[in-house]
Every structure is written in structure tokens, then in C-alpha cells.
Amino acid sequence: GSGVDPHLYKPSEGDMTKLANADIIFYNGLHLEGKLVDVFEKMNARGKSTIAISNALDKSTLIGSDYFASNYDPHIWFDINYWTQMTHYVTETLVKNNPENKVAFEKNRDLYLEKIKALNEELSDKIEELPKENRILVTAHDAFNYFGRSYDFEVVGLQGLSTATEAGVKDVQRITQFIIEHKIKAVFVESSVPRRTVEALQAAVKAQNHEVQIGGELFSDALGSAGTVEGTYIGMYRHNINTIVNALK
């Protein structure tokens, strides 16, 4: 759900029932859903089709990590080219499992990919409003590396790729100095990570007689609430870009 951290999420009994009754299960993979891996394996053992959409990607192109269980950064949806590849992969999997609906699946894929292409063009234009020297993104945890690579941002997270490890005093001190040296105007909280570490960072900067604003809330590991614009991939991404560019300009 919205505001839920997938790194730490444990399935409820209701979740287990939904999974058991599903025709097919898609999940991100790359250990994003760390505590759900055993559940997916159990479902697979029961003959349930469980599909990691990250299987669509060439692993040699992923961003590596020495600090995360899979050795890959799992936040792959922030690369729109990856999202396009995964859309094709999901469609192929649906067609394979439900061939009688092939025409509908492929029509929906094509309509969606048109929207994704338009989104990428729109966001690229929006980012051009931001001078390159201002493209430094400081957030609660290290979720935006694929975004940074796609749109030429330097990305700094208080916590690592997983939120299982909290940011320490040294992390706050290090990034405080970074903010002051680079004259960064704003830092960002995330909807699925407690605000306290970013607020501690803001206070540490103020203690050094500098000011940094909290530029807004970004959606990193979860979408917005169901039924809202931000509850969709396209709405989430548009919100994030607008929030980042408007705060850093």
C-alpha cells in the first residue's frame, strides 16, 4: 500500500490468501521484497506462477552494490527504459499464461507504452529547467540512482539501498558538510521512510549556520494512495520530477 516500505514488509494472512488465489504473481525481484522471498518460493513450490519482472533486464546494465543482498540496486522502475522492457516482459508472460486474451494484452501494452514515451519526453523537458550544477538530489535513502543515471543527477542518500539499516550520526555529519559545500537549497523526505533522519539533517545544517529546506515528499519505494494521480506509475514519476525541479531551481 501507499507509504509502505517493501524492504521491511511482512505479509499478513490476508496477503497470503490473495497470493494463494492469484492466477499469476508478479513482483520486482532483486531482493526489494526481502521478507517476501520465502513466500514467493512457497507459492512456486505449490505450482503458482511467480514472476520477477527484473528478469526482463540484462543484469550487466544494473547498478551494483556491495551493501545489498542481491549486489544490485533493486529500484529499477526509476529507469523508464527499464520500465518499457518490463512492460514487454509482463505482456509476453500474460500472453503465454492466457493466450485467449493476447489481442487485449498487446493492445493495452501499446497504449501504455505510448503514455510512457510521452512521459519521458515531458520529464526531460522539465529537467532542462534546472541548471546542471543544481542537479544534486539528497533524499532519505538510496532509491534514486537509476533516476540519477537517466537524467544526469548526482544522488546522495542518508541511508543505503535498503531501509533495514538506519542512518547514523556519521552519515548525517558527512552529508551536512556536503550540503554546505555544494550550497544545496533543498533535501527531500520520502513517503515510505520516516521523516526523522532528514529532519535531523536539516537541524544539523542549521547548527552550522546554514539553511536547507525540505523540498517536499517523494515517492520512492511505494506509490501514492490508490485512486489518486500519484497512485499510478506515471503520476508518481511526474510528481517526483516536478517536486525536485521546483525545489532546486
Side-chain angles (χ1 to χ4, degrees):
S2 63
V4 174
D5 180 351
H7 299 293
L8 304 177
Y9 185 75
K10 293 179 181 177
S12 66
E13 283 186 27
D15 294 331
M16 296 298 289
T17 301
K18 285 178 184 175
L19 291 169
N21 291 334
D23 296 314
I24 188 168
I25 299 163
F26 291 99
Y27 65 103
N28 189 80
L30 302 177
H31 294 269
L32 177 80
E33 308 92 345
K35 296 184 183 296
L36 284 167
V37 172
D38 290 346
V39 175
F40 296 140
E41 287 176 354
K42 283 176 188 171
M43 292 293 163
N44 221 23
R46 290 184 195 174
K48 189 73 62 179
S49 192
T50 58
I51 310 292
I53 62 172
S54 53
N55 289 343
L57 307 178
D58 178 351
K59 297 292 192 293
S60 70
T61 68
L62 298 178
I63 294 172
S65 168
D66 294 332
Y67 304 103
F68 202 65
S70 64
N71 293 319
Y72 296 113
D73 181 338
H75 303 92
I76 46 180
W77 57 91
F78 282 124
D79 183 322
I80 288 179
N81 290 324
Y82 283 168
W83 195 246
T84 299
Q85 290 176 54
M86 292 186 283
T87 299
H88 281 289
Y89 182 66
V90 168
T91 307
E92 289 162 11
T93 306
L94 289 171
V95 168
K96 186 178 173 184
N97 282 266
N98 189 221
E100 61 269 29
N101 285 313
K102 179 177 188 286
V103 172
F105 291 140
E106 292 180 349
K107 181 183 176 185
N108 287 339
R109 174 200 63 199
D110 294 344
L111 289 170
Y112 188 61
L113 289 177
E114 282 178 22
K115 293 179 181 178
I116 294 296
K117 184 181 178 186
L119 174 73
N120 197 23
E121 291 169 358
E122 173 195 333
L123 299 184
S124 297
D125 289 344
K126 180 69 178 177
I127 286 167
E128 285 302 311
E129 297 176 14
L130 193 62
K132 287 196 174 175
E133 62 270 20
N134 290 9
R135 294 182 195 177
I136 303 176
L137 178 63
V138 179
T139 63
H141 91 296
D142 226 357
F144 291 92
N145 289 310
Y146 292 107
F147 162 80
R149 186 175 72 179
S150 296
Y151 296 111
D152 198 21
F153 272 73
E154 182 176 357
V155 176
V156 180
L158 260 168
Q159 292 170 245
L161 293 173
S162 172
T163 50
T165 52
E166 291 244 354
V169 174
K170 285 185 178 177
D171 297 311
V172 172
Q173 290 173 344
R174 174 175 53 83
I175 296 176
T176 295
Q177 294 310 311
F178 180 86
I179 287 168
I180 294 167
E181 286 168 19
H182 291 82
K183 299 182 173 63
I184 293 169
K185 291 172 63 175
V187 297
F188 299 88
V189 295
E190 299 174 31
S191 65
S192 54
V193 182
R195 298 173 63 98
R196 60 180 178 270
T197 50
V198 175
E199 289 171 346
L201 177 65
Q202 185 185 35
V205 171
K206 190 170 186 178
Q208 301 273 353
N209 297 315
H210 290 263
E211 290 287 337
V212 66
Q213 302 302 316
I214 291 181
E217 182 178 68
L218 305 180
F219 297 101
S220 55
D221 286 357
L223 296 173
S225 299
T228 67
V229 174
E230 294 81 11
T232 67
Y233 176 83
I234 290 172
M236 169 277 293
Y237 219 134
R238 183 179 287 122
H239 165 90
N240 281 356
I241 296 280
N242 287 333
T243 301
I244 291 164
V245 172
N246 293 338
L248 294 178
K249 273 201 289 193

